[in-house]
Amino acid sequence: MENIRNFCIIAHIDHGKSTLADRLLRVTNTISERDMQDQALDDMDLERERGITIKSHAIQMDYEQDGVKYVLNLIDTPGHVDFSYEVSRSIAACEGALLIVDAAQGIEAQTISNLYLALENDLEIIPVLNKMDLPGAEPEAVTDQIVELIGCDASDVIPASGKTGLGVDKILEAIIERVPAPKGTLDAPLQAMIFDSVFNSFRGIIAYFRVLDGTIKKGDRVKFVATEKEYNADEIGILRMDMEPRKSVSAGDVGYIISGIKQANEVKVGDTITTVANPCQNIVQGFEDVKPMVFAGIYPVDTDEYEELRYSMEKLQLNDASLTFEPESSAALGFGFRCGFLGMLHMEIIQERLEREFDMTVITTVPNVSYIAHYRRGGDPLIVNNPSELPEPSLIEYVEEPYIKAQVITKAEYVGSIMTLCIEKRGELTNQVYLTQDRVELSFEMPMGEIVFDFYDKLKTVSKGYASFDYFPIGYRKSDLIKLDILLNADQVDALSALVHRSNAYDLGKKICLKLKELIPRQQFEIPIQAAIGAKIISRETIKALRKDVTAKCYGGDITRKRKLLEKQKKGKKRMRQVGSVEVPQEAFLAVLKLD
């Protein structure tokens, strides 16, 4: 155990974590030159296309220094805030962290929140200044920022470049010198923590774990403490580029277990594994529960595929424990699921993965939060998860919406624009504290429904990425909310309904109509798009009909010949409009969500 080092790589999005991880794998010869490719650990096409990491990836490397052989377990983590749950799980399995900062961009919000996560878990932090080869790099200024943030010496910061390979040997030395070896006793009862799981269609569910105490051997009878299920360890091993089976995995190591589990809900991330023969007394304290920020409905395009969608979602939940879902139904879309996501990017990625990995074409409704409607005649209040469930306005006394306490940490120069943004979103500033000369903490109370849409993206835009955002719910408050309906060809589309504050309704209605006009393909007949509050139409746009030139064959002759043909065409159009139905393309649903 003296020669094992477990560490993860944390950074803001696009600061070069995966490139540096690739370089470490090359230097330690974990991957041969022939198999090497960019973002070697990212195994989803989606990750490569977008250049982001979505899943944490664990891999074991062998490294020799001064004649001593060391085993390094590396976990490469995502940088985007929507996947911070992945980061918290990786941190729980490590003793040290490489904190990577882009020499051209400096410290950004996610760097800070990931750093706090690591410090809460008492990890050893090794600061690395990446992308030193860029012409815009400012090593002195950024080193000062790191020193101020962590309180280390300037000499502790390692200048490096994942692209050219500069400083990689220094990073490996620092990991061996500074990161403590894992603590744990080999002869104690087995205590291992599950930090991830994947589904394999041939082998069932594969759980990744970190052994804290004791040893797990092939063929052992093991118990998963939280679910109280028992299994045989059919195969155990360690994670290289491929899984390598071993006879046993001991304290301090990271490995995988295959025990023929078929049910997705039998493996809980954060659970403890122990042996049936000699169980451990206490369970591992895992990571905090995930708080979904955005709720939206996901429905199969073909209603027969409901069960298949459930199966796909369960498999996806194994791979991404921050996804939560429960069944719901809608008048227009049939049966589907109400899902909780960590943010808009997370929602987009889940939808892409359902399409790519499980071949499911789905429709996503407008994201929203849960409201409480109080009736005029008394009786129990109704919890409204979907705007289409809201009763008639004449029956409702008032509607309450959930409020949150939001904390934004940012640089002093962006305070003005962030305050403007929060006040636009019906927020009230409650406190403002200067942490240092240049860093401010702002506290707001605001409606949760306002942060669901695009608040996070806007916050990042106005603060150039220098704002970290955290929130917790503080209960429900009475609000002047109304239901905005969208009508296509006089039919209501309940997937596009939204509960909005009365003051925003007219603007939003106008914008949605304009956006749908751009995105819905033209038909043979005219389509009116209307936004309505109850029976009152507040906005209208019209998609013009595609018309066939029926008079092309009449040249010369009397005008009545043309008139007759045009009248005939007009009747056809009218009949078409009565029977025609309009398909709303999936892009239109998504574009409405991103409305500014």
Side-chain angles (χ1 to χ4, degrees):
M1 264 171 68
E2 287 301 305
N3 299 345
I4 297 177
R5 299 287 183 273
N6 298 322
F7 67 100
C8 60
I9 302 185
I10 55 177
H12 189 85
I13 190 166
D14 203 23
H15 279 203
K17 295 176 295 303
S18 299
T19 318
L20 198 66
D22 290 352
R23 187 57 70 169
L24 290 171
L25 297 176
R26 248 335 276 119
V27 170
T28 57
N29 289 322
T30 309
I31 300 185
S32 62
E33 194 71 55
R34 207 176 89 188
D35 299 333
M36 191 64 200
Q37 53 176 340
D38 286 349
Q39 289 176 268
L41 289 178
D42 293 350
D43 45 18
M44 270 185 253
D45 298 341
L46 205 53
E47 293 178 308
R48 293 232 163 81
E49 275 169 32
R50 297 194 176 206
I52 56 177
T53 305
I54 294 169
K55 284 285 299 165
S56 301
H57 300 277
I59 189 163
Q60 192 176 84
M61 308 180 290
D62 293 327
Y63 182 64
E64 194 171 314
Q65 186 181 324
D66 306 333
V68 184
K69 285 187 174 164
Y70 291 94
V71 173
L72 309 178
N73 289 313
L74 150 77
I75 303 182
D76 177 24
T77 65
H80 194 282
V81 62
D82 280 11
F83 307 112
S84 54
Y85 187 63
E86 292 283 328
V87 182
S88 74
R89 302 187 332 204
S90 314
I91 284 175
C94 296
E95 279 87 26
L98 292 183
L99 179 77
I100 294 184
V101 181
D102 185 328
Q105 292 175 319
I107 284 177
E108 296 193 49
Q110 216 40 46
T111 319
I112 296 168
S113 39
N114 285 342
L115 172 71
Y116 287 155
L117 264 176
L119 290 174
E120 276 169 29
N121 285 295
D122 297 334
L123 297 199
E124 179 64 40
I125 308 287
I126 300 175
V128 176
L129 200 54
N130 198 16
K131 303 197 183 181
M132 288 293 284
D133 55 320
L134 288 183
E138 300 174 353
E140 292 82 12
V142 180
T143 304
D144 290 346
Q145 285 182 17
I146 296 176
V147 169
E148 194 178 324
L149 181 70
I150 306 180
C152 60
D153 285 336
S155 58
D156 292 344
V157 181
I158 304 171
S161 162
K163 204 154 223 161
T164 61
L166 164 82
V168 173
D169 46 348
K170 295 245 180 9
I171 293 175
L172 286 164
E173 280 170 29
I175 289 167
I176 286 168
E177 279 166 29
R178 297 194 218 166
V179 176
K183 297 180 180 66
T185 30
L186 290 172
D187 44 10
L190 172 70
Q191 186 189 40
M193 178 186 74
I194 300 177
F195 67 89
D196 205 354
S197 56
V198 290
F199 181 82
N200 179 313
S201 42
F202 303 107
R203 314 290 309 265
I205 289 157
I206 304 171
Y208 296 161
F209 60 85
R210 154 81 202 271
V211 186
L212 300 172
D213 276 330
T215 304
I216 180 169
K217 296 188 183 70
K218 185 177 173 177
D220 276 353
R221 185 88 179 142
V222 294
K223 179 180 177 182
F224 286 26
V225 179
T227 54
E228 298 194 338
K229 300 265 184 181
E230 295 181 6
Y231 307 100
N232 288 325
D234 299 337
E235 180 180 315
I236 55 168
I238 55 161
L239 300 157
R240 288 290 174 108
M241 273 321 274
D242 299 312
M243 297 186 290
E244 277 188 17
R246 292 282 163 96
K247 290 276 195 309
S248 67
V249 178
S250 304
D253 240 332
V254 174
Y256 70 91
I257 176 170
I258 300 177
S259 48
I261 306 172
K262 294 285 184 285
Q263 291 297 320
N265 54 9
E266 289 180 22
V267 177
K268 296 245 184 311
V269 168
D271 195 357
T272 307
I273 304 179
T274 186
T275 49
V276 176
N278 185 9
C280 60
Q281 294 311 309
N282 39 8
I283 58 168
V284 186
Q285 290 307 315
F287 356 87
E288 58 196 72
D289 273 343
V290 21
K291 321 179 265 205
M293 306 262 276
V294 175
F295 296 92
I298 286 189
Y299 292 86
V301 171
D302 185 355
T303 41
D304 301 347
E305 294 179 344
Y306 174 71
E307 279 304 320
E308 209 173 312
L309 179 63
R310 177 200 292 276
Y311 187 53
S312 308
M313 299 273 275
E314 282 175 357
K315 284 199 268 188
L316 197 54
Q317 195 177 28
L318 272 181
N319 203 280
D320 181 350
S322 49
L323 170 70
T324 55
F325 64 91
E326 56 189 43
E328 76 162 359
S329 64
S330 132
L333 301 168
F335 290 103
F337 296 97
R338 176 132 205 92
C339 307
F341 307 99
L342 297 183
M344 294 298 278
L345 177 71
H346 187 207
M347 176 171 142
E348 222 175 287
I349 296 288
I350 291 288
Q351 194 184 323
E352 281 264 313
R353 287 184 67 184
L354 280 171
E355 284 182 12
R356 289 180 182 214
E357 295 171 27
F358 303 102
D359 214 16
M360 297 291 314
T361 339
V362 293
I363 292 175
T364 316
T365 64
V366 180
N368 62 347
V369 295
S370 299
Y371 300 90
I372 296 178
H374 292 263
Y375 288 111
R376 285 222 160 114
R377 56 169 197 271
D380 288 341
L382 175 74
I383 294 176
V384 181
N385 283 326
N386 193 330
S388 55
E389 296 168 5
L390 194 73
E392 286 295 310
S394 56
L395 302 173
I396 302 172
E397 181 70 34
Y398 62 92
V399 177
E400 289 183 317
E401 63 177 334
Y403 262 69
I404 56 162
K405 173 98 178 261
Q407 285 163 320
V408 178
I409 300 177
T410 183
K411 291 177 81 168
E413 62 195 272
Y414 304 119
V415 169
S417 48
I418 288 176
M419 280 189 187
T420 315
L421 171 69
C422 288
I423 290 162
E424 260 176 31
K425 297 279 184 191
R426 301 191 283 133
E428 295 162 19
L429 181 68
T430 55
N431 201 355
Q432 178 178 355
V433 184
Y434 276 79
L435 303 170
T436 64
Q437 286 179 338
D438 200 29
R439 294 178 58 69
V440 193
E441 181 181 8
L442 303 169
S443 302
F444 294 92
E445 288 183 359
M446 61 200 299
M448 174 117 178
E450 294 284 350
I451 65 163
V452 164
F453 260 16
D454 53 359
F455 176 77
Y456 206 83
D457 299 341
K458 282 190 175 168
L459 180 68
K460 284 283 182 246
T461 311
V462 298
S463 65
K464 300 196 176 131
Y466 280 99
S468 50
F469 173 71
D470 196 22
Y471 79 100
F472 53 91
I474 52 173
Y476 283 78
R477 294 187 189 173
K478 186 172 167 180
S479 278
D480 185 11
L481 296 171
I482 49 177
K483 181 175 159 210
L484 181 70
D485 289 320
I486 302 296
L487 308 167
L488 274 184
N489 199 11
D491 291 334
Q492 187 186 327
V493 185
D494 70 346
L496 289 174
S497 297
L499 272 178
V500 291
H501 196 262
R502 195 178 292 275
S503 59
N504 299 346
Y506 285 87
D507 283 352
L508 190 67
K510 182 81 182 150
K511 283 178 182 164
I512 291 181
C513 289
L514 282 166
K515 196 73 183 170
L516 288 174
K517 183 182 176 183
E518 285 171 30
L519 290 163
I520 291 177
R522 287 170 68 184
Q523 308 287 340
Q524 295 279 322
F525 53 95
E526 198 174 85
I527 310 170
I529 303 172
Q530 296 161 312
I533 297 170
K536 182 179 171 193
I537 303 291
I538 56 169
S539 172
R540 165 174 174 143
E541 293 291 331
T542 309
I543 300 176
K544 290 282 178 244
L546 285 169
R547 61 182 286 268
K548 184 178 165 191
D549 192 355
V550 288
T551 56
K553 59 178 184 277
C554 303
Y555 39 105
D558 191 20
I559 183 71
T560 52
R561 293 178 61 198
K562 291 185 179 175
R563 182 74 37 82
K564 182 180 147 195
L565 287 167
L566 288 168
E567 284 299 321
K568 191 175 164 191
Q569 186 183 34
K570 197 169 164 186
K571 276 185 196 153
K573 293 262 185 248
K574 190 174 169 188
R575 198 171 72 241
M576 240 181 198
R577 187 172 154 191
Q578 285 165 354
V579 297
S581 64
V582 186
E583 286 280 316
V584 184
Q586 179 64 37
E587 298 82 67
F589 280 109
L590 281 177
V592 170
L593 318 185
K594 296 210 187 76
L595 272 181
D596 191 2

